Amino acid sequence: MSTGSIKDKHQRIIVFLLFIILVLGSLVIGTLNKISTMEKPESVEEPTIEVVEIEKVEPVGKIAIIIDDFGYRNDAVSDGFLELDAELTYAVIPGHEYSRFMSKRASKLGYEVIVHMPMESNEPGFGEEEYVIEEAMPSTEIERRMIKVLDHLPEAVGMNNHQGSKASASERVMNVMGLVLKDNNKYFLDSRTTVETKAESTMRSLGVLTGRRHVFLDNDPAEDLIQEQVKVLAAKAKENGVAVGIGHVKENTLNVLKNAIPDLKEQNFEFVFISEIVE
C-alpha cells in the first residue's frame, strides 16, 4: 500500500473519531441541560399537628396535713411517714435526741418542716424546759427562746404550738412570738388547743401568714376512729375548699394514711403544704 493511501486512511479514522466525540459530547450536554431544566418537585408540606390543650380539672378540695412530734423517735414509724407520697408538713419538736436529724432528713426528702413550739398548758406538762414558752414569762425571755428554736431548726419555714392551752390564750405572749416570726419570715399555724386561743387573731393583726387546725386526726388512737377523722377532714376540704388536719407520729396514724392518701387522690383531692394555704 502506498504511503498516501495510509495517510488518507489515518485521516479518515481521525475524522470519524472526532465525529463520534462530537456526538457523544452533544448527548452529554443535552442530558445535563435537561437535568438542570427539570422542574423541582413541589415541596411536601409537613402535616399540621393540632395541639389540644387538656383542660385542668380543679381539685375537689385541698388537704393540708401536719404530723406533730417529729424528733422524739427515729424508727420504722418515722421512716414510714417519710415515705408517704404526698405534700405533708412535719412539725419537729425542739430539744430532743432526733430533733435536728429529723428536721434535716424531712427537708432533704422534699417535705415541709415547721417548729412544733412547746407552750405552757393548763395541764401539768414536762420536757422541753429550755424551750417552752410560759404565759408569765418576760417578753425578752420569750423572744430569746423563739430565736434559739429557729436557730436550732433552720429548715423550719413556720411554726405551730405544742400544747399551749394557757400560753396561746395570752395576747401578749402571742404578740411577742408573732413579732419574732414576722422578722424571720415564718408563718404560724394555730393548733387550737383551747377555744380561748388568741394565736390566730394576734398573728393576723401583725401581718404574719396564719392558718388554723380544723381536725385532730388521732386524739383517739384506734385506726377505725382515725379513718373517720380523715373522712371528716376530706368533707371539710370539699365544703370549704381547704382543710387542715393534725396527726402524730404514731403507727396507727401511719397505717391509716398509707391507704387514705391514695384513695383521696383518686377522688381528686389535692395534698398541699401548710405554706400554700396560710394567708
Side-chain angles (χ1 to χ4, degrees):
M1 183 180 292
S2 64
T3 303
S5 298
I6 294 172
K7 185 176 182 181
D8 290 340
K9 186 176 181 180
H10 287 170
Q11 288 176 344
R12 286 196 297 273
I13 291 171
I14 291 171
V15 171
F16 178 75
L17 291 173
L18 289 173
F19 174 76
I20 295 298
I21 291 170
L22 288 172
V23 171
L24 292 175
S26 299
L27 290 173
V28 171
I29 292 171
T31 301
L32 292 174
N33 287 336
K34 185 175 180 180
I35 292 172
S36 64
T37 57
M38 284 178 64
E39 293 185 2
K40 295 182 179 180
E42 294 183 3
S43 59
V44 179
E45 293 185 1
E46 293 290 333
T48 302
I49 300 175
E50 185 178 355
V51 179
V52 179
E53 292 187 5
I54 300 175
E55 185 178 353
K56 184 179 179 181
V57 180
E58 290 297 320
V60 173
K62 294 182 178 181
I63 295 175
I65 293 179
I66 301 173
I67 302 298
D68 281 351
D69 294 346
F70 262 74
Y72 284 135
R73 60 197 299 173
N74 176 28
D75 56 12
V77 174
S78 52
D79 287 347
F81 276 100
L82 294 175
E83 293 171 357
L84 291 174
D85 184 19
E87 282 71 18
L88 301 173
T89 300
Y90 292 120
V92 179
I93 194 160
H96 289 273
E97 182 178 1
Y98 302 110
S99 298
R100 287 187 173 183
F101 173 76
M102 296 308 296
S103 178
K104 293 179 186 299
R105 187 176 174 205
S107 179
K108 187 176 181 179
L109 289 171
Y111 298 99
E112 185 162 276
V113 173
I114 62 175
V115 176
H116 193 35
M117 189 70 196
M119 296 176 65
E120 185 180 7
S121 171
N122 287 313
E123 301 296 328
F126 62 92
E128 300 93 37
E129 286 83 2
E130 61 181 307
Y131 296 99
V132 65
I133 302 295
E134 298 177 0
E135 186 270 336
M137 196 170 275
S139 297
T140 53
E141 180 62 15
I142 294 174
E143 182 177 348
R144 187 190 71 79
R145 292 189 177 206
M146 286 284 291
I147 293 172
K148 180 179 180 179
V149 166
L150 295 179
D151 288 342
H152 180 66
L153 301 172
E155 296 80 17
V157 298
M159 177 178 289
N160 74 338
N161 51 297
H162 169 61
Q163 301 179 343
S165 56
K166 186 173 184 178
S168 67
S170 167
E171 187 172 344
R172 180 190 69 85
V173 170
M174 297 315 304
N175 189 73
V176 176
M177 292 178 65
L179 289 173
V180 175
L181 291 173
K182 186 174 183 179
D183 287 345
N184 288 274
N185 195 31
K186 312 291 185 184
Y187 67 76
F188 189 84
L189 191 288
D190 187 356
S191 300
R192 298 189 65 81
T193 55
T194 174
V195 295
E196 298 177 358
T197 177
K198 297 292 191 301
E200 183 180 5
S201 59
T202 304
M203 294 293 172
R204 292 196 186 284
S205 70
L206 294 172
V208 178
L209 291 175
T210 307
R212 61 159 62 187
R213 182 271 310 163
H214 299 102
V215 178
F216 277 123
L217 300 179
D218 53 10
N219 276 352
D220 191 308
E223 285 194 21
D224 59 336
L225 295 179
I226 297 172
Q227 290 169 355
E228 291 303 314
Q229 289 299 93
V230 171
K231 291 178 182 178
V232 172
L233 180 65
K236 288 183 177 293
K238 186 174 182 178
E239 179 181 358
N240 302 317
V242 62
V244 177
I246 292 181
H248 297 80
V249 190
K250 299 178 180 179
E251 185 174 1
N252 284 358
T253 305
L254 174 62
N255 292 338
V256 171
L257 291 180
K258 279 182 179 178
N259 295 316
I261 288 173
D263 289 346
L264 290 169
K265 283 186 174 182
E266 284 188 8
Q267 297 173 47
N268 202 33
F269 284 95
E270 180 184 2
F271 286 84
V272 296
F273 295 129
I274 296 297
S275 61
E276 297 178 49
I277 56 92
V278 290
E279 56 185 16

